[in-house]
Every structure is written in C-alpha cells, then in structure tokens.
Amino acid sequence: AQSVTQLDSHVSVSEGTPVLLRCNYSSSYSPSLFWYVQHPNKGLQLLLKYTSAATLVKGINGFEAEFKKSETSFHLTKPSAHMSDAAEYFCVVSNYGGATNKLIFGTGTLLAVQP
Amino acid sequence: EPEVTQTPSHQVTQMGQEVILRCVPISNHLYFYWYRQILGQKVEFLVSFYNNEISEKSEIFDDQFSVERPDGSNFTLKIRSTKLEDSAMYFCASSEAGTVLNQPQHFGDGTRLSIL
C-alpha cells in the first residue's frame, strides 16, 4: 500500500528566505506523487506532479520538488518565500494499480511566512 | 482556466436529515471523485465514479452515501441520514483519465457540511 509522511506539521519562514517542506513516501511501485496547496477557505490546487519522467519537477509559483528514490523523498522547495505562499501544503501519492487513481494524502504542512 | 465548481459552499443540516452536495466537474473529464476532510484530520478518499458507475469506494462510503450523475454535467453526493460525525469539508474532483496517464485530479473549493 502507498502512503506519504509529511515530517513537519508547521513551518515558519521569513519573506524572501527559502522554503523546504519535507515529504517521504512509501510505495511498492514507482509512485506518482503530487503536491497540492490549500489557501484558507479555498480548494486544493495542484502545484506540481511527478510521474516517473524528470526527477526534478517544476511547478507553479516558483515551487519545485525533487524525487529521490534512494531516500524515498519528494521534498518541496522554493528559493524565496512570498507572503502569498502562506497556506497548507499536502504531499499526495496516487494509488498505483487502482481502478481510478484515488489519492492518498499526507497530514499537511502549514506554512507561515513572516514579514 | 476550466474549474470544478461545488455548491453550496456551506450547508447546515439537522442530524438525521438528508443532504445533497453538488459538483460540476470540468467538462471533458471522465473520472469523478469525492473526498472529505474532517476538521484537523487528513483528506480522505470516499468514492470514484466512471462511466456512470462507482469504480472504487472506501470503507467510509457505506450505505448512507450515494453518488449520481443525473444529467451529464452534475455529479452529486447524497448522505441519506446525516450523523454528527459527517460534519466535514467535502471536496469534489475530476480528472481526464485514470491509471494509465496518471492525470492529476482537479478539485473544487469544497462544501463545508455542518450537522447539528
């Protein structure tokens, strides 16, 4: 069975400093991995996806993530945080071999950006 | 950019009443999903739907729940006799294809269901 573990429930950074949100996955197969962001009172927006092509994946709003099989990690990074990045971020794995790719969510990381 | 829309944004219902949550998926999408997020907990898969039938459902999706695509554009989740523990944010999602292409799922803004 697939699963993801988000190592930090809260991360606080200053505006203009780098962001690192950590995620480890467990999968018997080569996984499909996603990062979604949820701003307050909004839905889940796709930031980026990894589906076994390039291991460094670029997403929207300057975010990127690197798939590292040896470390079973898929950490999300951004070189310089902006106030608008404050939100909850979810690492997600797709259920390989399932009929319809149900998504399995991590517990989320709440990112706070200080001025 | 096309988006998934959900109505209502907030639904308050008495325990034991029936509730219907509505979703309009992206028009060329073929797969439809419902997830829920109880306050302070993970987002959980409920059900997926393809070709007018349920493809997969979780243990949460018991006889109290049903889904329907009544008219080719709407996708609804019905909860027959609501319980206090059904209070949650319910998200609808849709995708172009399933396993083969690993297409991402696009989510609506959710319906916050409050059971009194």
Side-chain angles (χ1 to χ4, degrees), chain A residues 8-72:
Chain A
D8 307 292
S9 57
H10 292 83
V11 169
S12 183
V13 301
S14 298
E15 191 175 21
T17 64
V19 175
L20 170 64
L21 306 182
R22 299 182 294 165
C23 173
N24 286 103
Y25 70 89
S26 174
S27 177
S28 304
Y29 307 94
S30 180
S32 293
L33 293 160
F34 307 84
W35 277 97
Y36 281 83
V37 60
Q38 184 180 26
H39 290 274
N41 301 313
K42 298 293 285 182
L44 296 152
Q45 181 185 18
L46 178 70
L47 275 181
L48 50 80
K49 66 175 182 177
Y50 167 77
T51 54
S52 75
T55 55
L56 183 62
V57 182
K58 293 189 184 298
I60 62 171
N61 301 335
F63 284 94
E64 61 182 38
E66 186 171 8
F67 175 76
K68 291 187 177 179
K69 187 175 179 180
S70 61
E71 299 177 8
T72 61

Side-chain angles (χ1 to χ4, degrees), chain A residues 4 32 34 36 38 41-44 46 49 51 88 90 94-95 97-103 105-107, chain B residues 31 33 35 37 42-43 45 48 50 55-56 91 97-99 101-110 112:
Chain A
V4 287
S32 293
F34 307 84
Y36 281 83
Q38 184 180 26
N41 301 313
K42 298 293 285 182
L44 296 152
L46 178 70
K49 66 175 182 177
T51 54
E88 188 153 25
F90 293 94
S94 180
N95 182 48
T100 52
N101 269 0
K102 71 179 182 185
L103 298 181
F105 282 75
T107 49
Chain B
Y31 291 81
Y33 309 82
Y35 293 81
Q37 185 181 29
K42 282 187 185 185
V43 178
F45 168 79
S48 57
Y50 170 71
S55 304
E56 190 173 357
F91 291 106
T99 306
L101 297 178
N102 284 310
Q103 291 297 316
Q105 294 176 26
H106 297 264
F107 286 79
D109 284 349
R112 181 168 298 284

Side-chain angles (χ1 to χ4, degrees), chain B residues 48-60:
Chain B
S48 57
F49 191 86
Y50 170 71
N51 200 24
N52 282 320
E53 61 182 24
I54 290 174
S55 304
E56 190 173 357
K57 60 183 181 180
S58 71
E59 292 177 353
I60 302 167

Side-chain angles (χ1 to χ4, degrees), chain B residues 53-86:
Chain B
E53 61 182 24
I54 290 174
S55 304
E56 190 173 357
K57 60 183 181 180
S58 71
E59 292 177 353
I60 302 167
F61 194 89
D62 60 20
D63 292 343
Q64 175 195 15
F65 293 89
S66 62
V67 289
E68 192 179 28
R69 188 156 163 81
D71 57 13
S73 63
N74 289 284
F75 178 52
T76 61
L77 174 68
K78 182 192 289 186
I79 309 175
R80 251 178 286 280
S81 177
T82 51
K83 306 171 192 168
L84 292 176
E85 54 264 38
D86 294 328

